[in-house]
Amino acid sequence: MADTALRLPGWLPFANRVVRLLNRLGLRLGTIHVLTVPGRRTGEPRATPVSPLTVAGRRYLVAGLPEGDWARNVRAAGRGELAAGRHRTAVTLIEVAAVEERREVMRAFPVEVPSGVPFFVRLGLVTKADPAEFADAADRVAVFEIRP
């Protein structure tokens, strides 16, 4: 797969600002939460929309771009705040190293977060909402377990 497939759509920064604003106003948008973590260089809070999912009783976040800013900030901080509407929860975020666990999470993703499937298609990681295809992409994403 060419690296050019791993580019974010140009409209994403605007859409992220809208989601963050709606979240601050207390409006929930499906599975979307806002994750705020300290920036790895500045320490300033950085917020990004994410869609947590639950697999076998544990909660996870998937970063389609494992070297994207939010994933790198999570690795550096190891903690953050997850907000759904006005409800905020301090969380610890632990990167999942085990490929089999990442596969299990990715297999569940298209079922648990169907609205997130087009993002992974746009990135070129999958071609459709097929759990097996998502599981096969587990070595090209970052997965973080969410702990209270």
Side-chain angles (χ1 to χ4, degrees):
M1 165 184 334
D3 286 340
T4 56
L6 296 178
R7 290 200 183 144
L8 296 173
W11 50 262
L12 190 61
F14 174 76
N16 284 348
R17 282 192 301 273
V18 170
V19 169
R20 290 191 310 261
L21 172 65
L22 294 173
N23 192 70
R24 275 195 306 270
L25 294 172
L27 299 173
R28 294 206 49 182
L29 299 170
T31 62
I32 299 174
H33 291 57
V34 173
L35 175 66
T36 303
V37 296
R40 63 191 175 282
R41 287 185 236 146
T42 66
E44 294 294 317
R46 302 290 181 209
T48 190
V50 294
S51 290
L53 66 150
T54 302
V55 178
R58 296 160 68 184
R59 294 180 73 206
Y60 297 92
L61 292 175
V62 176
L65 295 173
E67 295 306 318
D69 284 334
W70 81 259
R72 292 167 61 193
N73 288 340
V74 165
R75 285 187 194 102
R79 64 180 173 77
E81 180 181 79
L82 204 53
R86 291 191 177 126
H87 179 74
R88 300 179 183 289
T89 305
V91 295
T92 299
L93 300 153
I94 300 162
E95 189 161 11
V96 175
V99 176
E100 278 309 311
E101 187 176 352
R102 287 197 319 260
R103 279 194 183 117
E104 183 181 349
V105 171
M106 288 298 287
R107 187 174 289 111
F109 191 91
V111 174
E112 295 288 319
V113 189
S115 61
V117 170
F119 183 76
F120 284 84
V121 170
R122 170 67 170 90
L123 289 176
L125 292 168
V126 298
T127 60
K128 60 187 175 206
D130 174 35
E133 197 173 328
F134 268 79
D136 288 344
D139 62 345
R140 297 188 311 263
V141 301
V143 175
F144 299 93
E145 183 180 355
I146 303 167
R147 295 187 185 166

